[in-house]
Amino acid sequence: MLGENEELSRLIINCLSRDLQGNSEIFACLALHAIANISGREMATSLLNEVQQLLVSGSHTSFVRKKAALCLLRLFRKFPEIFEAIDWAPKILYMMDDRDFGTALGVASLVTALAQVYPEAYYGAVTKAVNRLHKIVIEKDFTSEYVYYKIAVPWLQVKLLRLLQYFPGPADLQVFRRLNDVLAYIISHSAEVPKNVQHNNAQNAILFEAINLCIHLDPASELVDQTLGLLSNFIIAKETNSRYLALETMCHLAATGARNCLDSLRVNQDTIVASLKDKDISVRRRALDLLYSMCDQNNVRVIVAELLQYLPIADFAIREEMVLKIAILTEKFAMEYSWYVDVVLQLITVAGEFVSDDIWFRVVQIITNNEVLQEYAVATILTALRSPTCHETTVKVGGCVLGEYGHLIANMPGCAPIDQFTALHTKFPICSVQTRALLLTTYVKFMNLFPEIKGEIIAVFKQHQSVLDVELQQRANEYLRLATRDDGDELLQTVCEEMPAYPERESALLLKLNQKIADTEDKRTWIIGGKDANTEVAKAKAIRDAAIAAAGGAGTNGVPRPVAAGKGLLKTFEDKLQESNNPPAGSTEEADLLKAIELSKLDMPDGGLSETIQKPTTPAAAPTVDALGAGVIDYSLAKPVVKALSGGMDDSTLYSRLVTAANGLLHRDANLEIGLKTEYREHIGRIAIFFGNRSSHAITSLAAEIQADPKQVRVTLLQPLPSIIPPGTQLHQIYKVECLGVCDPLSLLNVACAIGDGISLNVPVNLSLRLPILLTKFVTPIQLPANDFFQRWKQIGGPPRESQAVFRPASGTVVATSDLAKIITSLGLGIIKYVDDSPLSVVGAGIFNASELGKVGCMVRLEKNEQYEMYRLTVRTTNEIVSDVLRAQIEECVALHI
Amino acid sequence: MAIKATLIFNNTGKPRLMQWYQQQMDVRTQQQTLKEIFRLVSNRPDSACNFLEGSQLIGGNDTKIIYRHYASMDLYFSKSVKIRISEIKQFFSALYFVFVVDSSESELGILDLIQVLVEVLDKAFVNVCELDLIFRPDDVSSILSEIVSGGMGLSFA
């Protein structure tokens, strides 16, 4: 109710102040609570001293002191600059020895926060913390009320252990020995696993914190060696929490980069790799981080191979991170360049859509800067381009690299200029506009490198002279003019000179990864990544601090970005893309020419772009009686209602549910139950088919396969199915589905098996089930402003790219508009609002993704007529076949109201 | 010690208690965050661990969600009074207790804090169930503020 910036909060400052100074403990506590929760800057400044007095005065009960400590901590977090932390240090440190454990805990939290900012002033905390720990752990100096599941004040122990991690190890030898005793005691007394969950938690919390402290003090010490045994037990433990924390701690260990740790971690490498397949995504993430941290020259091959193998079946949620990490590891530890190129290409093939631009920019950079690598890289990429599964990113890399270095392999068999050109150009139609633009640039470079294929290339340019997209059109025209000048290609040669090597840069990938590690209130004492990463971060931080200090001194506002010795600033990659896309404008003459071309272009007819945008006139709302006669399909008559026949459980009902749902049953009878789980991302999908044995006998010789049109859908089996299902169990197989072209709804799942009935063992069963691998599954929703929608709608125009149908619903009555919107959404389309004012229609848009056909924009308009109980559906897409198939599918869903 | 938020919601994602300790958040963001957390948490099987890395919405990599799912609350406590709410319990008992914390927290410590919170609630309401949280929200939030003050854990154990 009362925010920190409200006027009113100023008025209560005096009240609060009175409460703080008063005698009542309850009032003081409430006031502290209020300050902690709602104080603004003004309140904090005026009450800070009083709060601090409460903490150190000693005349108050421990409860008030505890609250005061936490209130101070909160204020420090919010407004660190108003704190006179250094002056207060002795008093606050003195409070650490408070006899009351609760107060000590609060003060310890406060000191932890202060010590991160003022380490010198609070250095005294080390000795105090060690002594306190020694008292609790070894001298057992505590009263019984503080024992929690047989452990004395566990959270104070945890807090103190963590506090110590923010300081270097104690310099005083005696203190150091005491600390060592404490740690050794904790570690040696944690071997047995308590039964009680709370007890176990408390014990493990202390243990993990102690291990972290050991690692912080000296990763090569004997204590750490001892803990390694414990940790490796934990990562195979049944309890997930322990596995998770153990992996995290190991990650810390790997981050120190101490020899002995890495060696012993390597012993556990198999277990860690197995954790990548853990059921729990949190554990998988930790395992990934750990593998990333423990990787070095020696095991990089093994680890990268494992990661690559796991990548295709990893969750979508962590794939991007995995791809990034694999790319960094290969770059950092690659011993030979050919391996680097191989891995990155494999990465693009396996998980192309997760390869961010940064990654392939980096590849191109590295290839450009290493002459030795170029020939091999070009040859490999050309082979990759020829494979049918090649991803758009491969095309981009191919475009950049072939254009620059294609001539290096022109004499090899099968790599003649025309071969290179065809390899690229067959992929041209399925690429996005951006990639096509890049390819056009590649072609102009080819023209310079290989004059013999000039004819083909000019044909391509001519073809694109009047495409809809302005960028493509501009390039095609400019390049065409450049090619057909009659100065003997002199200009062309200047424009297409080989790219200069890039200045040595910091890897943008590392930057990206580090950016992800956001600032937190308590600083981390380490970060994920190998030793280098940790030292680098420390260095970068030092440089940045220096830079900020310098900027402050000079009184400038702009903080210079850190410039590591010998490394240039990182240019944004957009710049780079620009460079690679556009021929470098070297001389002014050239620039003028380009300008001239641009001017001349303005006169050209502009494929209908300048047409004014009009709202399409709303088609007559009521289909006339004429329409009823010929074109109207009446679902209520044509399709007898199947549902009533068999209690709603027959295969076709189950199928129709799956048309919109991602998961569900495919088939169910007394013996066998087949379920389906699907996950789609653009043109790729994963399908898991579950087979459950409901009978009391084993199902044998089970075989199942998906039958689909190989030209339209590519189905790959990822996880095969055992041939026997014991009674009462469920098994599954996993497929990867890739949509190549327009998939029609005729995919089948053929299942053959033998079911024992107790008398004769084998009753053969053959099933053929429709599988909903439908076009709509590969559609991703998009949101457009209404204006854009109209523009595109008009651009596509009427038939053949429009498909329309008028039909009656199966139930005989139309449903509410909101239900129609639900159907449209469930089919993967995004609802576009404010397009049509009529409450009787729904408008949607989406993108259909297919790897060979490319991306197809889909727009749908569904209207209903309540008077005649009919629907009219209009589908416009950029591809006429897609229009028809999509229309048919939506029509079916709407008519049957699935 | 920094707890960013404390949330209690039931199996269908209906919030029963929301307390945010970070900067002022408008209701919309709060609800989005709640939905996001519910989506992340509700899909996890009971065997999965109690920690979850935050998604972008909640603060990125350095934020952790630490939660406990009490499928049937009184299973954890005294068995004698089970009958009292046994019928309603079918609909009103499974609750998620979620703490959003930054990575400097001891995970197990927070897990224990949740347990403490639940035990205290149980003592205060004598066999707590979701209805208690619905009908006596004041009591619940004052209990919570005794345990967590402005994002700082007050009373462990």
Side-chain angles (χ1 to χ4, degrees), chain A residues 2-5 32-33 36-37 63 66-67 70-71 73-74 77 102 105 109 148-149 154-155 158-159 162 166 197-198 200-206 208-209 238-245 248 279-283 285-286 289 321 513 516-524, chain B residues 1-4 19-24 40 44-56 59-65 67-68 70 76 102-113 115-116 119 141-142 144-157:
Chain A
L2 196 61
E4 57 184 67
N5 299 321
L32 286 171
H33 192 64
N37 280 315
F63 195 69
K66 180 169 75 173
K67 279 224 160 184
L70 289 168
C71 182
L73 172 56
R74 173 72 174 166
R77 285 272 163 69
L105 178 60
S109 303
Y148 182 67
Y149 293 104
W155 311 116
V158 168
K159 204 76 223 176
R162 175 154 307 212
Y166 289 99
V197 184
Q198 262 65 44
N200 193 13
N201 275 352
Q203 179 178 316
N204 284 348
I206 298 176
F208 281 119
E209 219 51 79
K238 244 185 171 173
E239 207 219 339
T240 329
N241 286 348
S242 310
R243 282 209 301 274
Y244 175 89
L245 291 170
E248 184 163 7
K279 262 190 252 157
D280 188 344
I281 187 165
S282 300
V283 176
R285 282 219 173 100
R286 284 288 79 94
D289 281 343
E321 205 181 328
L513 197 70
K516 282 193 163 179
I517 304 167
D519 283 337
T520 172
E521 294 202 350
D522 273 352
K523 289 171 200 152
R524 289 182 85 114
Chain B
M1 184 78 45
I3 298 162
K4 294 187 174 177
Q19 187 71 261
W20 310 87
Y21 301 108
Q22 291 309 83
Q23 70 287 359
Q24 308 276 320
L40 290 171
R44 293 167 64 79
D46 282 346
S47 61
C49 69
N50 302 89
F51 321 123
L52 200 60
E53 258 110 300
S55 68
Q56 283 312 319
N61 278 12
D62 249 354
T63 310
K64 276 185 188 160
I65 300 167
Y67 72 96
R68 266 201 159 161
Y70 291 95
Y76 288 77
D102 73 13
S103 67
S104 61
E105 287 295 338
S106 162
E107 292 90 346
L108 292 172
I110 294 295
L111 208 53
D112 194 76
L113 196 65
Q115 178 66 22
V116 171
E119 277 174 23
S141 65
S142 57
L144 180 67
S145 48
E146 284 303 311
I147 291 180
V148 181
S149 158
M152 316 297 154
L154 264 180
S155 43
F156 288 93

Side-chain angles (χ1 to χ4, degrees), chain A residues 864-881:
Chain A
K864 67 172 178 183
N865 181 331
E866 285 176 342
Q867 194 186 348
Y868 291 92
E869 302 291 359
M870 297 222 279
Y871 294 109
R872 172 159 64 188
L873 174 67
T874 316
V875 175
R876 288 187 182 187
T877 76
T878 46
N879 181 305
E880 55 224 59
I881 313 173

Side-chain angles (χ1 to χ4, degrees), chain A residues 46-79:
Chain A
S46 34
L47 295 176
L48 188 63
N49 276 316
E50 285 165 30
V51 177
Q52 194 246 0
Q53 279 306 317
L54 276 186
L55 173 64
V56 298
S57 68
S59 58
H60 293 274
T61 56
S62 60
F63 195 69
V64 177
R65 288 195 303 244
K66 180 169 75 173
K67 279 224 160 184
L70 289 168
C71 182
L72 276 182
L73 172 56
R74 173 72 174 166
L75 294 180
F76 178 67
R77 285 272 163 69
K78 258 182 162 171
F79 313 106

